[in-house]
Every structure is written in structure tokens, then in C-alpha cells.
Amino acid sequence: MARPSKPIAATDQPRIPMPAVDPALNLTPSTWKVLTDSIFPAAKTAEGIVLALHYCAARNLDVMKRPVHVVSMYSKAIGREVETVWPGIAEVQTTAARTGQWAGLDAPRFGPVCERSFVGRVRRDGSWQDLELTVSFPEWCEVTVYRLVGGQRCPFTEPVFWLEAYARLGGSYSELPTDMWVKRPRGQLMKCAKAASLRAAFPEEATYTAEEMEGKVIEADAALPAQVTTPVVSVVATPSETATDKRQTPIAGASEPAAAPTSAPDAASLDAAMRQRIDKVIARAADNAAWKQAEQYLRERCTGADLAYALAALSRAQGTTPPETDTEQKQAA
């Protein structure tokens, strides 16, 4: 006679309660606990984990090797975050290897190292906080992947730029990088470059990866990620940069200047945090003679009295006449 199973102790309960699932998945309570607590610790819902199970079953993958990741993405269609399943870079390489035509890859090549400051607001402990991060990162990376085509070993290379690929805190409406992209700027970019080249070599097999989709928005065509326009603090050439490898990060066009009063307000009348942020931008511009970039940045992020103060302070730092605001330009016309 089989012994009745003992109830699971409260301390052994999984992080997310186990739902009713398809019996074909052969899911047990102990396996579910491993999935919730070890394999997919970032998953927020049972539905996300079940999606990953079905994906692995359909692709004949061992879910315990974590070939896929549960990624939270903001959906514009429903106005909230949803959990999606994307393969990791290891799964994409596995898929390429299974074709029997993958012929290896080269070591990654990185562009010059840039250092840039990012500013934005993040929600922490139930309140919004202003945050500024300075990150050093390679401007671009490329990894050459080889595939046998008609018996010939053919190279496929897709360069990927850090500013276009990095994951943002808060999705496309923020320019702050996520913690992983701050800690591993080269490693994360290398994964994205490898994935892009694998897609070029195996378009019928490879897809986008979790590393590429983190921090992105569903229906991205309707909400393209904002281009970062903060001034570059420094650029250091790396050994991998050669005359034929030089690339430049695309610079987004400046948005239309925001309206502002014709006279600069007194600094004491402004919000202290905003004034401090403006002063930091101007200080960085002075250190690097990046006046045009600073003006563009301030026009995109300041309005009204804040913009008038920013433009006046910028002109004082340059020792020039303050640039015209929209109001002044219209009056002159």
C-alpha cells in the first residue's frame, strides 16, 4: 500500500503557487518549486513559467538547462507589462549547431570605449526618484559567425551599437540602463552582436534573444526607443579600432525647441533638483566643449522657466549671447 504523500511545509512552498497544467508536461510540485525559485527567479506569474515549459517542450529543449528566459515587456495594446518568453543566446547557438551547417565564430571585436552620463527617473520603494548614472561602454561590437553554404565556409557579420541595444529601466521611455548593462556593458553587447550575426547566418532558425528584448516595448514600431543625447564625457581608443573598423553612433535629430519665456528667471525660483541637473549638464559640456549637444539636451528636457534659466546659464558658461527661445524667434519673424 502506497504511503500518502506528506503535505509540503510552509517554508517549502514555491514562490509562485503551482497552477493546473497540461498533464503532458509531467510537472510535479517539486519540479515546479525548482522552476520558480531557481530556473526562473525573475518570473512574476505562473503563466510566464508555463509558457516557457510549452516552448521547451515544442523545441525539445531541457528546461532545467535554462535555454529560455521569462522577460517582462510593456505592451502598448493593453497598457501594462506582460511576461513573454525569449530564447537565451545559448539556445540560439544550439539551434544553429543542430543544422549541421554551423562552422564556428570569431572572437568579438569592440569599438572605442565611450563614457556617458544617463539621467532619468525610476520608481523605487513606491516613489519616483531622480537618478544619474555614468557608464563606460564599447561604442559597438561585432561577432563573425560562419555557416557552410554549398560546402563553402561563409562569414556573416552584423555590427551592433551599444546605444541602440542596451536595455532601459522603464522601457523605451527612459534612458537609464538596467543594472546588468551597467555591470556588464561588454558582455551584454557581445551577446546581442552574436545573436544578430546568428540571425544573419541562419535566418530560418534564429530569432531575437532575451538579452535583446529586455527593456523593450511590444509594438516597438509605434514606440521607438528614445535616442540618448547626453554629451559624451570621453572616448578612449581601443586596440580593436582600426582604420577600416571606425564607426559612428547615429545621432538623433534634435526635436523642436520648447517654448520658454524671454527673460531668464532667478535661480532661487527654480526647483533645486532641476537646477542641480542643469548645472551638471553645463559643467560636463564645459569640460568637453560639447556646447551644441548640451543645448540640444536641455531644449529636449526643459520647458518654460527651466529652459530660460538653462539657456542663460549655458551662454554664461560659453561667454556668448543666450540662444533664442521659440518666443523670441517668433517675435523676430
Side-chain angles (χ1 to χ4, degrees), residues 73-84 217-219:
M73 299 178 65
Y74 184 82
S75 172
K76 291 195 66 181
I78 60 178
R80 63 177 176 84
E81 281 194 345
V82 296
E83 292 204 308
T84 59
V217 176
I218 301 176
E219 297 91 38

Side-chain angles (χ1 to χ4, degrees), residues 16-317:
I16 300 173
M18 179 177 170
V21 297
D22 186 348
L25 293 175
N26 295 320
L27 189 62
T28 65
S30 58
T31 301
W32 178 257
K33 180 173 173 57
V34 173
L35 292 174
T36 58
D37 297 357
S38 299
I39 305 301
F40 302 113
K44 300 176 182 178
T45 65
E47 290 77 9
I49 298 176
V50 173
L51 278 176
L53 286 171
H54 282 289
Y55 180 100
C56 291
R59 299 280 292 166
N60 194 26
L61 299 170
D62 184 355
V63 70
M64 292 301 178
K65 293 182 179 180
R66 198 181 298 175
V68 298
H69 302 270
V70 179
V71 180
S72 292
M73 299 178 65
Y74 184 82
S75 172
K76 291 195 66 181
I78 60 178
R80 63 177 176 84
E81 281 194 345
V82 296
E83 292 204 308
T84 59
V85 174
W86 298 91
I89 185 61
E91 197 276 322
V92 175
Q93 288 184 225
T94 299
T95 300
R98 285 178 174 179
T99 65
Q101 298 175 344
W102 188 31
L105 52 81
D106 289 341
R109 294 177 292 277
F110 294 94
V113 175
C114 302
E115 187 175 89
R116 191 181 288 262
S117 292
F118 302 84
V119 295
R121 305 186 74 198
V122 294
R123 191 172 183 83
R124 291 181 175 174
D125 300 326
S127 62
W128 288 98
Q129 301 178 13
D130 291 322
L131 188 64
E132 180 175 354
L133 296 173
T134 299
V135 184
S136 296
F137 56 88
E139 184 181 7
W140 53 266
C141 177
E142 61 182 24
V143 177
T144 298
V145 170
Y146 295 90
R147 178 177 182 172
L148 296 177
V149 180
Q152 298 293 321
R153 187 171 184 256
C154 300
F156 295 84
T157 306
E158 290 287 332
V160 175
F161 294 89
W162 197 94
L163 288 177
E164 297 176 351
Y166 81 92
R168 293 165 169 80
L169 282 173
S172 65
Y173 302 103
S174 169
E175 69 171 29
L176 291 170
T178 61
D179 292 341
M180 186 62 72
W181 281 81
V182 173
K183 296 175 182 177
R184 303 184 69 253
R186 289 168 59 91
Q188 292 301 104
L189 184 62
M190 180 191 66
K191 290 181 180 181
C192 294
K194 188 186 297 184
S197 294
L198 283 167
R199 279 196 303 276
F202 300 89
E204 73 281 15
E205 299 289 346
T207 183
Y208 284 92
T209 63
E211 291 80 7
E212 296 172 287
M213 301 310 297
E214 181 190 4
K216 302 301 188 296
V217 176
I218 301 176
E219 297 91 38
D221 288 342
L224 294 176
Q227 179 68 36
V228 179
T229 55
T230 46
V232 173
V233 177
S234 61
V235 177
V236 182
T238 62
S240 62
E241 183 185 14
T242 64
T244 57
D245 278 336
K246 291 182 179 178
R247 294 169 172 82
Q248 293 184 350
T249 303
I251 299 176
S255 60
E256 293 185 3
T262 57
S263 59
D266 183 77
S269 65
L270 300 180
D271 176 73
M274 175 60 73
R275 186 174 69 249
Q276 185 179 21
R277 183 182 301 177
I278 292 172
D279 292 342
K280 285 184 178 180
V281 171
I282 294 175
R284 289 198 299 268
D287 291 340
N288 298 276
W291 303 113
K292 293 298 293 183
Q293 296 94 324
E295 180 182 343
Q296 176 182 328
Y297 177 85
L298 293 170
R299 284 184 180 276
E300 291 180 350
R301 286 162 175 77
C302 300
T303 59
D306 293 338
L307 178 58
Y309 168 80
L311 295 180
L314 185 66
S315 67
R316 287 196 300 270

